[in-house]
Amino acid sequence: MGIVAGLDSSPDFTRIVVCDADTGAVLRQGYAPHPMEGAESAGGRPSDVDPQAWLLSLGEAAGGGLLEGVQAIGVSSQQNAVVPLDSQGNTVRPAMVGGDKRAQVAAADLIDALGGREAWAQAVGCVPQAAQPVTKLRWLAKNEPDAAARTSVLLQAHDWLVWQLLGRPSRRTTDRGGASGTGYWSAATGGYRPDLVELALGHQAMLPEVIGPSDAAGTTPEGLLISAGTGETMAAALGLGIGHGDAVVSLGASGSVMAVHHEALIDQSGMITSLADATGMHLPVVTTLNAVRTLRGAAELIGAPDLEALSDLAMKSTPGSHGLVMLPYLEGERTPNLPHTAGTLAGLRRESMKPEHFARAAFEGMLCGLADALDVLRGRGVDVRRIFLLGAAAELPAVQAAAPALFGAQVVVPQPADYAAIGAARQAAWALGVSQGTLDPRTPPAWQGAAAQVLDPGEELAVGQAVRQQYVSVREQTHPNAFRG
């Protein structure tokens, strides 16, 4: 069928992979960091970014004839970035990106304005958080009313990039995956809630047309097909090749669990964020505030120089950590919803007070916290038979030794790769195949799966489930009914 490209514009860089459209084999790749203003990026990532920076790094990453012979491009980009445009299509102000701490008060305002968390869960499948576009619009209306008043079009990062690649046509598009994270589009109904845009921004704005997963957004003047594009999370799921029965557990400082499901889950408690994926299915997500930060805290406490050393120590202990149980709620917790609590260490006995048992308890506590998040999805009928474990910590022996038995499922640890860019390329191959009449618009191309280690619980399953039960007992004693129902 030819060759296609996937472009991932993350918060820090642009990465491009060029793939064989039939097999998904990566033929060549490019990379360039976004140019950043020195003053802006001091002390962490900036909250405001000129979107031209994304185009500059895209041009640099595509240098040296990287895209020669490419027939279609897919775009994946950082989620939650809002690009407010005026009626002429010019940016009103820099794009608002990332986990914007400025918007925390705006999130609380919006929750109250609609009548509480349940009202939001019912309306769009998620409760506003500081990072979300809908919350950033509320912040804009309150803090930069002139900019808010001039805003007449709202795009996310991947929408804006697709629009630029197509030469800024009058039609602006997005996909279900990107739209589902905005806070003003419902995965359950498949429609926008313009009233929520007005509630946040103070007036209506034009929103991009939501096109189907295998639809093309358009063709460039040079004849290059541009697919719908999507958010990084959805692109990575497409790149990994996850489907029914699969869940993805991401180990960052905080953790997230998502799974493929056939319908949107409306969760009154707000624990589940109801996202759509890039294939026409749904991606319910549950997040925890404490994942790898639990391990880093444990390493500091016992003087382990790094997480590898902590893992080595933990491997000298045994499942159950000699009775030590850690509830890892170091930053409070979202799942269960205990924002003001602290962590707990239970089961201290003279024989358990050894660094290796404490190290093991930290790993088991982190994984049991994520197993709680998995159980929120399972409790709503989501089928989980196989779990993809992502993040650098997934490579640690202590994680790999404990995770399959604690999760009660086969664990797959994919080799590190640019899965978001690969997913974007797969979407491009799909749109190209559909346009040529060679692929079904309901089924993405069958590409070779991610190279991975596969870990089965095997004989350890019963032991792992006993450890999990020990954790649940401590959690129930310490925080009775933390999981309502």
Side-chain angles (χ1 to χ4, degrees):
M1 204 161 71
I3 59 173
V4 293
L7 181 164
D8 178 38
S9 179
S10 85
D12 301 314
F13 56 79
T14 299
R15 203 178 283 284
I16 301 174
V17 296
V18 175
C19 300
D20 180 287
D22 293 317
T23 66
V26 176
L27 307 174
R28 47 188 192 262
Q29 42 199 320
Y31 166 88
H34 298 318
M36 286 295 176
E37 302 293 321
E40 265 194 326
S41 42
R45 288 179 181 153
S47 297
D48 291 335
V49 172
D50 181 348
Q52 293 296 328
W54 308 333
L55 280 184
L56 289 168
S57 68
L58 193 168
E60 197 182 322
L66 185 80
L67 298 179
E68 210 170 297
V70 165
Q71 293 167 276
I73 295 180
V75 178
S76 146
S77 189
Q78 59 179 307
Q79 283 152 250
N80 296 325
V82 185
V83 187
L85 304 178
D86 64 18
S87 55
Q88 304 304 306
N90 301 314
T91 50
V92 168
R93 70 179 309 287
M96 303 171 73
V97 300
D100 203 327
K101 293 273 195 294
R102 296 175 297 189
Q104 281 171 337
V105 173
D109 273 359
L110 273 180
I111 292 169
D112 289 345
L114 195 66
R117 298 170 65 85
E118 291 189 12
W120 278 97
Q122 202 68 51
V124 285
C126 59
V127 179
Q129 288 149 36
Q132 276 185 301
V134 73
T135 309
K136 288 172 175 157
L137 297 183
R138 179 72 157 201
W139 182 90
L140 192 63
K142 293 275 192 245
N143 295 275
E144 298 179 9
D146 291 349
R150 295 204 332 271
T151 298
S152 64
V153 181
L154 294 172
L155 297 181
Q156 290 187 85
H158 81 82
D159 311 337
W160 188 84
L161 284 164
V162 164
W163 183 59
Q164 295 290 332
L165 288 172
L166 290 172
R168 296 164 59 108
S170 57
R171 180 192 190 216
R172 300 177 183 92
T173 60
T174 190
D175 86 308
R176 297 167 68 253
S180 66
T182 58
Y184 44 81
W185 186 88
S186 164
T189 64
Y192 280 117
R193 288 287 303 263
D195 57 315
L196 299 182
V197 174
E198 190 165 345
L199 182 71
L201 188 62
H203 61 87
Q204 294 287 353
M206 275 185 64
L207 301 169
E209 177 191 341
V210 180
I211 61 176
S214 61
D215 291 346
T219 308
T220 67
E222 301 76 34
L224 198 60
L225 191 83
I226 308 291
S227 65
T230 195
E232 272 186 325
T233 299
M234 299 78 190
L238 192 58
L240 283 164
I242 70 168
H244 253 312
D246 290 336
V248 176
V249 173
S250 293
L251 300 175
S254 51
S256 72
V257 175
M258 65 180 180
V260 177
H261 198 49
H262 62 277
E263 63 179 351
L265 297 177
I266 302 302
D267 176 43
Q268 305 296 0
S269 73
M271 275 194 292
I272 299 173
T273 297
S274 200
L275 299 179
D277 79 347
T279 72
M281 299 285 279
H282 293 270
L283 269 184
V285 180
V286 180
T287 53
T288 70
L289 293 182
N290 301 281
V292 176
R293 65 164 42 99
T294 307
L295 304 182
R296 295 207 184 286
E300 281 170 26
L301 185 62
I302 58 177
D306 52 32
L307 297 188
E308 286 71 21
L310 188 74
S311 172
D312 292 345
L313 259 180
M315 294 299 281
K316 293 177 179 160
S317 180
T318 51
S321 314
H322 272 243
L324 273 190
V325 176
M326 183 187 292
L327 302 183
Y329 305 154
L330 309 184
E331 296 278 314
E333 190 46 86
R334 268 192 68 185
T335 309
N337 189 25
L338 298 166
H340 307 301
T341 194
T344 303
L345 189 63
L348 279 172
R349 291 193 174 84
R350 179 65 193 89
E351 64 272 17
S352 65
M353 295 176 77
K354 291 185 176 169
E356 59 265 34
H357 303 322
F358 178 77
R360 178 91 189 194
F363 280 96
E364 290 178 345
M366 173 187 79
L367 292 169
C368 283
L370 290 159
D372 277 350
L374 268 170
D375 284 349
V376 169
L377 294 178
R378 283 172 165 146
R380 291 294 303 277
V382 178
D383 185 23
V384 178
R385 292 186 299 260
R386 185 170 65 155
I387 293 166
F388 285 78
L389 202 53
L390 304 185
E395 304 286 339
L396 296 171
V399 169
Q400 296 191 2
L406 290 176
F407 291 158
Q410 185 182 77
V411 168
V412 177
V413 183
Q415 279 180 8
D418 305 314
Y419 290 110
I422 291 166
R426 191 175 176 210
Q427 188 193 58
W430 193 9
L432 181 65
V434 168
S435 77
Q436 294 173 340
T438 56
L439 286 178
D440 183 332
R442 292 159 305 185
T443 314
W447 279 12
Q448 56 204 25
Q453 262 180 294
V454 179
L455 311 164
D456 282 296
E459 294 168 7
E460 297 295 307
L461 183 61
V463 175
Q465 292 305 291
V467 173
R468 175 100 177 85
Q469 198 46 57
Q470 181 176 265
Y471 175 92
V472 170
S473 299
V474 171
R475 191 195 68 224
E476 280 296 310
Q477 282 164 15
T478 316
H479 304 286
N481 303 316
F483 287 100
R484 288 179 298 168

